[in-house]
């Protein structure tokens, strides 16, 4: 009689963990930490707490809410159930929404206390898009082009928030860096949507890929990656070196440039490579940040 509660709690914890996409935690925590550290040049409580927030609670909110409201599509999607997200039991939906909100609450409260009105606005915008990317009534993920733009906000907004919170001075090279990051996010979402064309259409879910077709969407992603690389050329040295990071993404996506809607699921293999490409890109960016810190030291 005492074993059932612990097993149930364990199952809930496991589902929440899968829903938060642990393999992607670094994609939101790193931009915040890097932007804040480069700006302030110090390790303090705000860096630690902000990084932890964008590492776990932010991702549980972003992906957990998505899994709740994408339930019907996820049931038809064979890639769900692991690194790509959970197919949440209906009984988990309310738990997931409550867990996401309650886990975020203390972190957001702290960040509001230490922040400024400008940082409050950026954080509010970031969380707004986290919620309403998936949740009704806006459900931005079903509005073609806005879906890719909103998804991109999820990843570059932690960096923007860190810069505003730390009081960074905005320059054209810094703006170019954020634009490049945003274009990378748009491209990555668009390509990611290609693999779900069939499942999304069966579930009646719109996306940039269901609206424009797999082939067009892949080529749009290629154009955005190219634009991201070009934007990096306008950043402060050694930022332009990072323009070469667009090349592995272009090579990965290029092979799917003529994929049909019926074959769109084959793009999942390419998407799987992104998990490793992101790690490689993060490593190179870290080296460039160290180089930048030495140069401006």
């Amino acid at each position: 009689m005492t074993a059932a509660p612990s097993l149930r709690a364990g199952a809930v914890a496991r589902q929440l963990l899968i829903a938060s996409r642990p393999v992607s935690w670094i994609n939101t925590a790193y931009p915040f930490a890097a932007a804040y550290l480069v700006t302030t040049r110090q390790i303090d409580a705000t860096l630690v707490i902000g990084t932890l927030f964008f590492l776990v609670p932010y991702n549980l909110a972003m992906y957990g809410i998505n899994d709740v409201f994408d339930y019907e599509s996820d049931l038809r999607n064979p890639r769900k159930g692991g690194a790509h997200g959970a197919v949440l039991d209906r009984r988990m939906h309310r738990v997931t929404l409550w867990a996401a909100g309650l886990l975020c609450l203390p972190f957001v409260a702290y960040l509001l206390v230490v922040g400024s009105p400008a940082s409050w606005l950026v954080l509010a915008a970031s969380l707004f898009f986290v919620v309403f990317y998936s949740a009704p009534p806006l459900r931005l993920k079903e509005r073609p082009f806005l879906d890719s733009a909103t998804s991109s906000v999820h990843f570059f907004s932690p960096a923007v928030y860190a810069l505003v919170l730390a009081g960074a001075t905005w320059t054209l090279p810094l703006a170019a860096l954020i634009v490049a990051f945003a274009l990378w996010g748009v491209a990555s979402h668009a390509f990611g949507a290609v693999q779900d064309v069939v499942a999304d259409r069966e579930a009646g879910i719109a996306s940039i890929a269901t609206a424009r077709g797999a082939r067009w969407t892949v080529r749009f992603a290629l154009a955005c990656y190219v634009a991201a690389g070009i934007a990096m050329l306008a950043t402060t040295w050694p930022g332009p070196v990072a323009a070469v990071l667009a090349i592995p993404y272009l090579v990965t996506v290029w092979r799917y440039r003529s994929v049909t809607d019926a074959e769109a699921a084959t793009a999942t293999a390419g998407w799987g490579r992104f998990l490793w490409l992101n790690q490689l890109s993060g490593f190179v960016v870290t080296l460039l940040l160290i180089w930048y810190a030495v140069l401006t030291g």
Side-chain angles (χ1 to χ4, degrees):
M1 294 180 67
T2 58
S6 61
L7 288 173
R8 187 170 184 272
V12 168
R14 181 177 180 277
Q15 285 293 295
L16 291 176
L17 179 65
I18 294 173
S20 71
R21 316 289 204 278
V23 73
S24 297
W25 287 356
I26 193 66
N27 294 338
T28 49
Y30 184 88
F32 172 85
Y36 188 90
L37 191 57
V38 168
T39 302
T40 64
R41 303 301 179 94
Q42 64 181 15
I43 297 175
D44 57 18
T46 299
L47 171 64
V48 174
I49 293 172
T51 301
L52 288 174
F53 169 66
F54 285 107
L55 187 72
V56 183
Y58 183 86
N59 280 288
L60 177 59
M62 176 167 63
Y63 291 120
I65 293 170
N66 180 76
D67 285 343
V68 168
F69 291 103
D70 275 10
Y71 178 71
E72 293 299 330
S73 174
D74 289 348
L75 284 175
R76 297 171 172 83
N77 196 329
R79 73 184 181 91
K80 295 293 183 176
H84 296 279
V87 179
L88 290 175
D89 186 289
R90 286 187 184 275
R91 293 170 295 178
M92 281 291 301
H93 290 186
R94 185 182 297 273
V95 173
T96 300
L97 296 177
W98 273 103
L102 292 175
L103 191 59
C104 286
L105 186 59
F107 291 92
V108 171
Y110 173 86
L111 294 172
L112 290 176
V113 169
V114 300
S116 63
S119 72
W120 299 343
L121 288 174
V122 177
L123 182 60
S126 181
L127 294 176
F128 173 88
F129 287 115
V130 161
V131 173
F132 290 109
Y133 173 75
S134 302
L138 296 182
R139 198 154 164 75
L140 297 169
K141 71 167 296 170
E142 289 203 60
R143 302 175 187 271
F145 293 98
L146 279 179
D147 56 347
S148 292
T150 303
S151 176
S152 180
V153 171
H154 295 162
F155 299 100
F156 75 77
S157 66
V160 174
Y161 174 66
L163 292 169
V164 174
L165 183 64
T169 300
W170 286 87
T171 62
L172 286 177
L174 181 57
L177 176 64
I178 297 302
V179 168
F181 195 179
L183 286 167
W184 171 86
V186 169
S188 296
H189 175 275
F191 181 64
V194 169
Q195 62 194 318
D196 293 330
V197 166
V198 174
D200 283 348
R201 282 182 176 155
E202 289 179 352
I205 293 176
S207 73
I208 185 173
T210 61
R212 301 295 301 180
R215 180 181 302 147
W216 186 95
T217 305
V218 170
R219 295 180 181 186
F220 173 73
L222 286 167
C224 288
Y225 281 126
V226 170
I230 292 173
M232 283 303 301
L233 297 177
T235 62
T236 301
W237 185 263
V241 176
V244 301
L245 292 176
I247 296 175
Y249 291 95
L250 290 169
V251 171
T252 297
V253 176
W254 179 258
R255 64 181 298 179
Y256 302 101
R257 66 193 181 279
S258 297
V259 70
T260 65
D261 289 5
E263 301 168 335
T266 62
T268 298
W271 183 250
R273 297 188 189 97
F274 275 42
L275 301 178
W276 300 106
L277 284 178
N278 290 343
Q279 304 303 318
L280 173 63
S281 297
F283 174 71
V284 174
V285 169
T286 299
L287 294 180
L288 292 175
L289 286 174
I290 295 172
W291 187 1
Y292 174 79
V294 171
L295 290 175
T296 60

